[in-house]
Amino acid sequence: MTFAMLPPRDQLVTIMQRIYHGRMTTLSGGNLSIRDDDGSLWITPAGIDKGRLTPNDIIHVHADGRCEGPHRPSSELPFHRAIYASRPDLRAIVHAHPPALVAFSIARVAPSTALIPHARAVCGAVRYAPYARPGSEQLGAAIAATFAHGSDVVMLENHGVVAGGADLLTAFQRLETLDFCARIQILAQRLGGVVSLSDAQIALFDRLPQAQGTFTPGPASSRERELRLQLCDFVARACDRQLMISTEGVISARLDADRFVITPTGFDRRDLTPGDIVLIDGGRAEAGKRPSRSVNLHHAIYQRHADIGASMTAQTPAATAYAVSTTHFDTRGIPESYVLLRDVPRVLYGQPYTAPERVAEVISTRAPVLLMQNDGVMTAGRTVLEAFDRLEVAEYSARALIDIEAIGALVPIGPKELEDLRTAYALD
């Protein structure tokens, strides 16, 4: 069942589970609501463990104010009502306290949505609402007034963030994307500086080329069905491990010399099904489906490298912090990092889309990981498992390197030890 077909109760529980297990709120924090067609609201309860929320816990607040359910509605019900009154186009609201966004709210600075190409399109203009006591009518009036200016994401001074949307998934994606921007920015600033995209560079993302033509495939082979399922499983794992978000991240896997399967664009990554995956044959896309915007890059990689069987791109926070800064990503910290990642090159912003053949020349089995400036990290491997392993190791290694800044200086493995690793693991 697609998310949009779930009843309001189940939608609220599903998204709250993502928020809680994604470490964007505590068991007592955060609240979500959906405005129904009849004007009533479905809202999460007050004082209930968000990590164990069930559909039966959800409160139905009727238009006349009558509450139906086993608990009290969220104490923030006043601001949900106020926002809906000021923005009739919104049908869902998400409020949470992700640590990175709370840090920005305390500093009263908005995270930049110009670090990675899709963030501004997802979040829109981010504004601040002045401080007011949680649960008060004054807070509701302040937030509603800020939403009335047209913002779909509002930061709350010394509090957290509220996002709205035409549906609950859209509202959640705005929260999730802004949280990723905040995490990336905080980590990048520890590295010594952040490089932002210009408006023209961001606009490039809306003009990306697609696959050349379409075709109608025949019955899927057992191998193809296995790979489709594997891509879905690893995307879900990447989302659970906070290596991808619901709106971004790509995995592909080779079937043979001319064909590969790749994740689609415009789909909720966490709930992809094998039928959503797109088959590419000779550069043509399976009819009726839209492959990832980076389909031409993946095609160029498979055309150039017969020994690469899978590749993926993601905006993992720590590795992407290196991608939005000018600091070198040094993999010589521990043997595992160097063996799996090797030296990590960097390609210029936009090249993965405007010059895919050039990027395909950079990545290889000898250089299986690269940074895409102001975009993220790309990994390649013989299998999906190997490419995913490199993605995880790249993120963990990057995070360790950033954490070193609070302890001391990096002491890398020396030339003699590196040569020993190259010989032992046949890296050359």
Side-chain angles (χ1 to χ4, degrees), residues 399-410:
R399 186 57 196 250
L401 289 172
I402 294 171
D403 286 347
I404 287 172
E405 299 298 321
I407 302 169
L410 167 67

Side-chain angles (χ1 to χ4, degrees), residues 164-234:
D167 53 66
L168 188 62
L169 184 59
T170 299
F172 166 72
Q173 288 172 341
R174 287 171 173 153
L175 165 75
E176 180 188 40
T177 300
L178 190 65
D179 180 48
F180 250 57
C181 289
R183 296 188 202 188
I184 292 166
Q185 185 173 343
I186 289 170
L187 294 171
Q189 289 184 182
R190 290 181 187 172
L191 293 173
V194 178
V195 178
S196 297
L197 295 170
S198 66
D199 290 344
Q201 288 174 314
I202 292 174
L204 171 68
F205 194 69
D206 296 325
R207 303 191 301 270
L208 299 182
Q210 291 293 319
Q212 301 299 312
T214 62
F215 74 102
T216 301
S221 66
S222 296
R223 172 64 176 160
E224 180 184 334
R225 294 197 297 269
E226 288 174 358
L227 285 177
R228 285 174 177 267
L229 181 60
Q230 195 173 30
L231 295 193
C232 294
D233 288 344
F234 274 98

Side-chain angles (χ1 to χ4, degrees), residues 332 335 338-339 412-425 427:
R332 298 171 298 157
Y338 187 77
V339 168
I413 298 170
K416 181 179 178 181
E417 289 78 14
L418 289 178
E419 184 59 34
D420 177 57
L421 287 174
R422 293 189 189 101
T423 301
Y425 290 92
L427 299 184

